[in-house]
Amino acid sequence: MTQMSSPPTEELVKQWESEQECLRQQVVEDDTEDWQRSPSFSGLERVGGVDLSFIKGDEVNACAQLVVLSYPDLKVLYEDSQMVTLMAPYVSGFLAFRETPFLLEALQRLKTSQPTLMPQ
């Protein structure tokens, strides 16, 4: 079984806590798009999902995936799968620092190659 070689330093955890606080202050809690206010989500055309799936017994190698579906019929419009090697350790409460960079890369590839398919 492959595992991260060392636990995070106290300095790294403090940095992550600081970044989390900055991000927390940027959260938008109100609806910003017209379709969000519509009971039928009228105007929503694309939804996306992301996930990192690990190989059983391996905590370092994973498959990062992005899927964009049409709405409301949920037909696959776009898929992106990449095998990745995680560099950050797992720390409870800080999963985004471990996984998000790969998911953001998938969104950037979509934005660069087919921007009209970006999820709303």
Side-chain angles (χ1 to χ4, degrees):
M1 175 162 87
T2 306
Q3 294 187 359
M4 302 305 299
S5 58
S6 61
T9 63
E10 187 176 328
E11 180 179 324
L12 179 61
V13 172
K14 286 184 180 193
Q15 176 187 343
W16 286 354
E17 287 171 342
S18 176
E19 288 182 44
Q20 273 188 336
E21 184 54 38
C22 288
L23 291 170
R24 185 177 292 113
Q25 294 173 17
Q26 296 177 42
V27 171
V28 176
E29 295 183 4
D30 299 317
D31 294 336
T32 58
E33 306 297 320
D34 289 338
W35 61 263
Q36 293 170 322
R37 295 179 199 75
S38 168
S40 65
F41 297 109
S42 178
L44 178 60
E45 299 173 357
R46 295 171 312 284
V47 296
V50 293
D51 191 26
L52 229 67
S53 298
F54 289 86
I55 298 167
K56 189 173 185 172
D58 187 334
E59 297 178 18
V60 176
N61 297 295
C63 181
Q65 182 148 26
L66 162 66
V67 178
V68 179
L69 306 174
S70 61
Y71 184 86
D73 54 349
L74 303 180
K75 291 186 179 169
V76 175
L77 300 175
Y78 178 87
E79 293 179 77
D80 181 299
S81 298
Q82 296 283 321
M83 291 304 296
V84 298
T85 301
L86 284 76
M87 304 305 286
Y90 171 78
V91 179
S92 180
F94 297 96
L95 189 59
F97 293 98
R98 179 172 159 92
E99 297 186 0
T100 301
F102 304 104
L103 304 174
L104 290 174
E105 286 174 10
L107 281 165
Q108 188 59 49
R109 283 191 296 274
L110 170 58
K111 187 175 183 179
T112 300
S113 67
Q114 297 184 55
T116 59
L117 294 181
M118 285 295 286
Q120 294 167 271

